[in-house]
Amino acid sequence: SAVISQKPSRDICQRGTSLTIQCQVDSQVTMMFWYRQQPGQSLTLIATANQGSEATYESGFVIDKFPISRPNLTFSTLTVSNMSPEDSSIYLCSISGGGNEQFFGPGTRLTVL
Amino acid sequence: AQTVTQSQPEMSVQEAETVTLSCTYDTSESDYYLFWYKQPPSRQMILVIRQEAYKQQNATENRFSVNFQKAAKSFSLKISDSQLGDAAMYFCAYKGPQGGSEKLVFGKGTKLTVNP
């Protein structure tokens, strides 16, 4: 199966700043996904990123707050903009598997002070 | 909207024993996919097992098996011969029909503790 990496693995940021999280896959994939996992909670899909088109955002998530890039079939970035402590979460990228499952990257743990 | 419910926030099991984690879901679809994911403290989400709704046979992966009851919309995970490395959060997840949304809907998770 594909190897998925994320950078950074963790970061501590000041409120009002922005952080860009990178997701790299070692093979070409059509669809990539970004999820948020708030402390002690489950995973919630932020958006779906297809190469060559704008990301599709889930209800409650907006492009101004979570801009996403998908410049090619192996890479995507998620930016968390104008951060507040409520943005402290684990952010995970994932890709579709051949059997309708998804495979996840190792996650980025973000703490906003 | 589809929902996934895990009614057991925490479970514990003795090493080498068997434990069953519960999951129920709500959908109006007849074709869908169900998954169990494991998240150890390292936070990596690991796929444990998958089940296609059109298959009547319960999926099995080594020590992990499911009890899929489509009419009851129930999808429990049985872990046999529990090992210390099985300690983790376990999430049940739902995906709709092929060709539809690729979104995974997750339950709130069950924290499994394995006692030596």
Side-chain angles (χ1 to χ4, degrees), chain A residues 10 16 24 26 31-32 35 38 52 55 72 75 92 94 99 111:
Chain A
R10 60 177 61 219
Q24 179 77 53
D26 69 347
M31 302 181 79
M32 296 178 74
Y35 287 82
Q38 293 178 301
N72 58 53
F75 187 78
L92 302 105
S94 70
T111 302

Side-chain angles (χ1 to χ4, degrees), chain B residues 25-113:
Chain B
Y25 57 94
D26 185 28
T27 183
S28 58
E29 303 285 354
S30 59
D31 180 29
Y32 49 86
Y33 303 84
L34 297 165
F35 310 94
W36 279 97
Y37 282 87
K38 168 185 177 181
Q39 187 179 41
S42 67
R43 74 178 178 262
Q44 175 82 52
M45 290 289 286
I46 301 166
L47 178 65
V48 175
I49 199 164
R50 60 190 291 270
Q51 176 80 43
E52 296 91 341
Y54 65 84
K55 289 187 178 179
Q56 294 185 341
Q57 186 173 5
N58 290 323
T60 299
E61 288 288 343
N62 300 314
R63 298 182 295 107
F64 299 88
S65 61
V66 298
N67 184 4
F68 173 49
Q69 301 291 327
K70 190 172 183 179
K73 296 180 182 176
S74 172
F75 182 61
S76 61
L77 174 70
K78 185 171 81 172
I79 306 174
S80 304
D81 185 24
S82 296
Q83 301 176 359
L84 295 177
D86 295 333
M89 285 292 293
Y90 285 81
F91 293 96
C92 180
Y94 165 98
K95 179 193 172 295
Q98 183 87 17
S101 170
E102 295 291 323
K103 174 181 179 179
L104 290 182
V105 177
F106 286 87
K108 292 185 179 297
T110 297
K111 181 179 181 180
L112 178 66
T113 301

Side-chain angles (χ1 to χ4, degrees), chain A residues 11-49:
Chain A
D11 207 341
I12 301 173
C13 301
Q14 297 297 319
R15 68 172 65 207
T17 63
S18 298
L19 175 71
T20 295
I21 302 167
Q22 300 178 4
C23 181
Q24 179 77 53
V25 187
D26 69 347
S27 59
Q28 294 184 340
V29 294
T30 303
M31 302 181 79
M32 296 178 74
F33 308 89
W34 287 99
Y35 287 82
R36 180 177 73 180
Q37 186 178 24
Q38 293 178 301
Q41 301 298 314
S42 185
L43 280 72
T44 301
L45 181 65
I46 297 171
T48 301

